Every structure is written in C-alpha cells, then in structure tokens.
Amino acid sequence: SDFAGKRFTMVRDLRSYIEGVLNGEQVIAEMQKGSFVKCRDEKSGVMSIDGSKVVMEPFDTGRSGDKVWLKDVFTSKENKNLAAGLMKIEQTEFPWTLNYDEVDYVIDGQLTIRINGCDIVANAGDMVLIPAGSNIVFSALDHARFVYVTYPANWSQQAEG
C-alpha cells in the first residue's frame, strides 16, 4: 500500500541519517559550521549565514606578529566550485600567491592589494578581483574586514602563502 511505501522510505531515510551521525559525518559538519548557519535547504544546497555569529580564527601568514583572522563559511563540502569566508586584517601586510581566483568585498575599513608596484585600494562597499597566478601583498594600515569568494572551492589546498 501507499502508506507502507511512505513508511519504508521514512525508515530508510532515518536509518541513513543515524548511520551518518554514527560515522561522524553530521557531527563533524555541525562542528565545522558552528552556529552561524541560519538556514539550509538540504535538497537544493541553498543556505544562509548569520555573519554576526561567525567567529574568525587566527590565520598563519608565515610571519610572526601578523594580525590576520579568517573563517571559511562555504567550503567544497557545500559547493564543489566556489568557497567563501570572512577575513580581518589589522595593521598588517603580508605577501601571498594566489593559485585560485578570488573576489573580495570590503565590509569595513580599507584593504590594499599591492601588485607590481601598484596599490589597489578598496574601501567599504568596494570589490576587488584577484586572478589566479597573482603575487600580491595584502595590506591594511588600520583594519580591513572583507568577504572573500574563491574559485576553485579548495583554495587553501591551492595556496602558496
């Protein structure tokens, strides 16, 4: 009957979910996301993030004393092509080689990207495109907080800081 079919599907889906939890998949995903995920539609993958709840973590630029924090909020686990996160720089500049494409949207402060002797200055509301293969210097005289979007999504595996 139709009821038996729906019940079987529901039990199968529940079993699959429990097996995932027991294997740590759901637990790990929730730990990585923290509590900043506002809403997620599992079927489509559409999700929203509460930026005020994202806690950035110190980022190792390879130089002691640099004040840089970031948090990936969308990773290759959510989308195989794009990743995104938040980054904050305070009174720091550091060299970086991008082996991935990146777009930065400045939320507040002033971000400077130095390349080939040219300073690309971005203020709150500005966007910067950094093509793959660029050897740049990220810089903030005071501070910069910005959203970064990368392609491909596994930017950290492509990075050569």
Side-chain angles (χ1 to χ4, degrees):
S1 78
D2 189 46
F3 175 76
K6 287 182 182 178
R7 184 169 184 258
F8 174 77
T9 300
M10 188 171 69
V11 169
R12 185 189 65 215
D13 291 347
L14 180 59
R15 180 179 176 180
S16 176
Y17 175 78
I18 290 170
E19 287 173 353
V21 169
L22 292 175
N23 289 329
E25 295 168 8
Q26 296 294 330
V27 174
I28 290 169
E30 288 306 309
M31 287 172 56
Q32 290 174 335
K33 285 293 157 214
S35 61
F36 55 78
V37 175
K38 285 174 63 172
C39 183
R40 179 182 175 104
D41 177 66
E42 294 298 329
K43 186 175 181 181
S44 68
V46 173
M47 63 189 299
S48 64
I49 298 295
D50 182 344
S52 68
K53 292 185 178 179
V54 174
V55 177
M56 290 184 258
E57 300 161 351
F59 180 69
D60 183 6
T61 65
R63 300 163 18 132
S64 73
D66 284 352
K67 299 177 187 175
V68 181
W69 301 265
L70 68 75
K71 181 67 174 178
D72 291 332
V73 295
F74 301 122
T75 67
S76 59
K77 290 181 176 96
E78 289 80 35
N79 185 292
K80 64 181 179 177
N81 296 314
L82 296 174
L86 295 170
M87 188 170 193
K88 181 177 176 181
I89 302 172
E90 289 183 354
Q91 301 170 346
T92 295
E93 66 175 37
F94 64 95
W96 197 254
T97 299
L98 288 88
N99 292 323
Y100 50 90
D101 292 313
E102 180 168 312
V103 172
D104 297 332
Y105 172 78
V106 179
I107 299 168
D108 59 58
Q110 185 178 74
L111 175 66
T112 300
I113 305 296
R114 187 168 302 121
I115 184 163
N116 300 326
C118 180
D119 284 353
I120 309 296
V121 178
N123 296 301
D126 292 345
M127 297 177 73
V128 177
L129 169 65
I130 310 169
S134 297
N135 294 304
I136 66 166
V137 174
F138 278 108
S139 178
L141 293 177
D142 183 38
H143 77 282
R145 189 167 58 102
F146 57 98
V147 173
Y148 57 86
V149 179
T150 64
Y151 174 84
N154 66 343
W155 72 269
S156 61
Q157 295 168 359
Q158 307 282 324
E160 285 183 7

